[in-house]
Amino acid sequence: MKRMSKIAVVLLALCMALTTMLFMVSCKPDEPTNESCKTHVDANEDGKCDVCGAEVEVETCDDHIDTDGDNLCEICGAVCVPPLDCTIVLKDESGKPVAGISLTMHSEDGMTVEGVTDAQGTIAQAIVPGKYTVNFEGLAEGWYVEGNASVIEIAEGAVSFDFVAIDNNPDGSEEKPYYVGDDSVSLTFPAGVTYNCFTRGTSSRYLVIENANAKVSYDGKDYLPENGVIRILVAGAADTNSTMPFTVTNTAEGENTIAIRFESLPGTQDNPYRAELGQSLTANVPAEGAVYYSFTAQKDGYLVLTSKTESNNIMMYNLTSYVVTGYTDGGKSVCISVAAGDVVSITVSTKAAEEVNPVEFKLELYSGTAEDPIPVFGNGSVRLAANGSVALVYRGEGKTMSVPADGLTLTLNGAAQEITGGSYIFTVADGDVIALTNTTGERVDAAFILS
């Protein structure tokens, strides 16, 4: 009887052990299993765990393992794609390796590969097959990689890629000419060497070289120095995308540094004429064009530009204080406030169709006091400082003048004027003096209109 009891105990222990083993090779829903992946496995991607049958999401893992070579991950069952040994080579146009250049490759799946070219210009590493966008960085200024930012596909039979780094810096050849723009360019020439150059711009300008041992070829003609200077009028291009090519040759027997520059034509915005006070000036304005002048104020006051030419428009722009007048319509005058040292740009233009239109004008500077009032010949405006005053003198036939009253008081020949409809409206005759006072703590621009 006791023997039977011992057998029963042994059988019971065996049953319990078998139960435990069965429990270990299964897994409970929504809980990790005791399998090597420690989670539900769904190799056939049917949405159910292959071990316990629970409904699960398709699992993935960061590093697939495929030791048996069946191209299936032994952890998650995904299809494994083995990386391929890939070589990327970067050389310059002469075939010389380009070292130390960083490469970043981004795949369509969000994978990133990075590397740096070695002394042979090479990056060699295992890369998972796929399509990658390549980006090279770290090249010297003026260099670029042909095919940079392009897409390459890494696959069996396509694991080696060659790229070319191109030096796009100018060298004076026809393919890479030197550019000469607004700034002077100095080039060092070996003896007898010719450099190709070009410029851009729609305005005609002078090409200037102050060097006795230079020759310029432009528009089919050769130019040599006169008194040590070459000065050629270069016609403007049809548009800003067009270029004007020319060559410069060193005619010296040794090395020679030649400075090349362009000068704008006199009277243009970049090279304005100098205007003086009190002079009667004549601007020969091209049809529907403009002539530019510059004036520097020697003292504070009001600068007045007066013209009687009916076909012109005139305007002044204080480049120091950024104050600008409007254009006149035909003759009359414009007025602008200046301080000592202010630089004023003057534009004289015309709407006439003649090839050259002479426009006569005069420039004067007035203090704006009762002893030195600003002459008024037509419609215009004047700027008053905070709580400041200015005096005007009317020149012309009798007319009605209107001045807005906001922030202003006004007298005509010493008599205060009444406001009518929000403006000072009064009749003026030749020689009448109008005094305007700004009653606010801020700057005021007062416009006057004659009718």
Side-chain angles (χ1 to χ4, degrees):
M1 189 71 179
K2 290 182 178 180
R3 182 185 179 112
M4 292 294 293
S5 297
K6 290 181 178 180
I7 293 172
V9 170
V10 171
L11 290 172
L12 179 61
L14 288 171
C15 288
M16 292 179 64
L18 288 170
T19 303
T20 301
M21 291 176 65
L22 288 171
F23 179 80
M24 289 178 66
V25 299
S26 65
C27 57
K28 297 179 182 180
D30 303 320
E31 290 184 12
T33 72
N34 290 323
E35 298 297 312
S36 60
C37 61
K38 297 181 180 180
T39 186
H40 296 297
V41 176
D42 182 19
N44 59 4
E45 300 183 2
D46 62 354
K48 294 182 180 181
C49 178
D50 298 339
V51 179
C52 69
E55 293 185 359
V56 295
E57 294 182 357
V58 177
E59 298 291 338
T60 60
C61 54
D62 294 333
D63 297 310
H64 296 299
I65 299 176
D66 178 25
T67 58
D68 57 8
D70 63 353
N71 288 339
L72 294 176
C73 176
E74 295 165 12
I75 296 177
C76 70
V79 177
C80 291
V81 181
L84 300 173
D85 292 333
C86 182
T87 302
I88 295 174
V89 180
L90 180 63
K91 296 183 179 181
D92 63 17
E93 294 172 279
S94 66
K96 182 180 178 181
V98 182
I101 304 303
S102 299
L103 170 66
T104 303
M105 298 168 53
H106 297 284
S107 75
E108 294 179 333
D109 300 328
M111 188 178 298
T112 300
V113 178
E114 296 178 337
V116 178
T117 57
D118 60 17
Q120 286 70 47
T122 300
I123 297 172
Q125 62 186 73
I127 302 176
V128 175
K131 292 182 178 181
Y132 292 82
T133 301
V134 296
N135 288 284
F136 291 91
E137 295 181 349
L139 278 83
E141 184 177 357
W143 285 71
Y144 71 96
V145 174
E146 193 173 52
N148 194 36
S150 62
V151 176
I152 62 174
E153 183 174 4
I154 297 174
E156 290 286 354
V159 290
S160 181
F161 301 90
D162 294 330
F163 289 88
V164 179
I166 297 175
D167 182 2
N168 203 38
N169 290 291
D171 58 11
S173 64
E174 289 188 30
E175 297 77 18
K176 300 176 183 178
Y178 289 106
Y179 171 70
V180 185
D182 295 333
D183 299 325
S184 176
V185 174
S186 292
L187 302 175
T188 300
F189 294 68
V193 166
T194 297
Y195 283 153
N196 289 268
C197 305
F198 75 98
T199 189
R200 296 183 187 274
T202 56
S203 299
S204 298
R205 294 170 293 164
Y206 284 110
L207 169 62
V208 181
I209 293 178
E210 298 179 7
N211 194 300
N213 296 301
K215 181 181 76 171
V216 173
S217 296
Y218 165 70
D219 196 23
K221 297 180 181 179
D222 293 336
Y223 298 85
L224 294 173
E226 294 183 8
N227 298 321
V229 178
I230 298 176
R231 190 179 186 86
I232 308 166
L233 182 61
V234 176
D239 56 69
T240 55
N241 293 322
S242 301
T243 62
M244 291 82 81
F246 60 94
T247 64
V248 180
T249 302
N250 173 23
T251 60
E253 294 181 356
E255 187 176 85
N256 186 14
T257 298
I258 300 175
I260 309 166
R261 74 175 190 272
F262 280 93
E263 290 181 359
S264 297
L265 298 179
T268 58
Q269 194 167 10
D270 294 330
N271 187 20
Y273 294 118
R274 300 296 173 184
E276 301 294 339
L277 295 176
Q279 295 181 357
S280 181
L281 302 171
T282 300
N284 293 313
V285 185
E288 300 181 358
V291 174
Y292 294 85
Y293 290 79
S294 179
F295 173 79
T296 302
Q298 301 300 315
K299 62 180 181 179
D300 298 354
Y302 293 87
L303 192 63
V304 177
L305 177 64
T306 305
S307 173
K308 296 182 180 180
T309 307
E310 295 298 329
S311 63
N312 80 85
N313 289 321
I314 51 179
M315 183 192 77
M316 293 192 294
Y317 178 29
N318 190 325
L319 300 176
T320 305
S321 64
Y322 304 108
V323 177
V324 62
T325 68
Y327 275 102
T328 63
D329 186 9
K332 306 169 188 156
S333 63
V334 289
C335 173
I336 195 169
S337 59
V338 295
D342 284 0
V343 177
V344 178
S345 174
I346 300 168
T347 306
V348 181
S349 61
T350 177
K351 296 182 291 185
E354 291 82 3
E355 184 174 348
V356 176
N357 302 272
V359 177
E360 295 183 8
F361 66 96
K362 182 181 287 189
L363 197 63
E364 298 286 357
L365 183 63
Y366 300 90
S367 66
T369 62
E371 296 78 21
D372 188 24
I374 302 168
V376 174
F377 297 89
N379 299 336
S381 65
V382 63
R383 173 162 290 190
L384 286 79
N387 301 311
S389 299
V390 68
L392 312 172
V393 58
Y394 174 70
R395 296 299 183 193
E397 300 177 356
K399 287 190 177 182
T400 298
M401 178 178 283
S402 173
V403 177
D406 291 344
L408 298 174
T409 60
L410 184 147
T411 64
L412 175 63
N413 298 323
Q417 299 299 299
E418 295 183 359
I419 300 172
T420 303
S423 298
Y424 296 103
I425 301 174
F426 50 95
T427 301
V428 288
D430 186 46
D432 283 352
V433 176
I434 304 105
L436 294 171
T437 300
N438 176 10
T439 59
T440 74
E442 299 178 354
R443 186 187 71 194
V444 169
D445 291 317
F448 42 87
I449 301 173
L450 293 165
S451 59

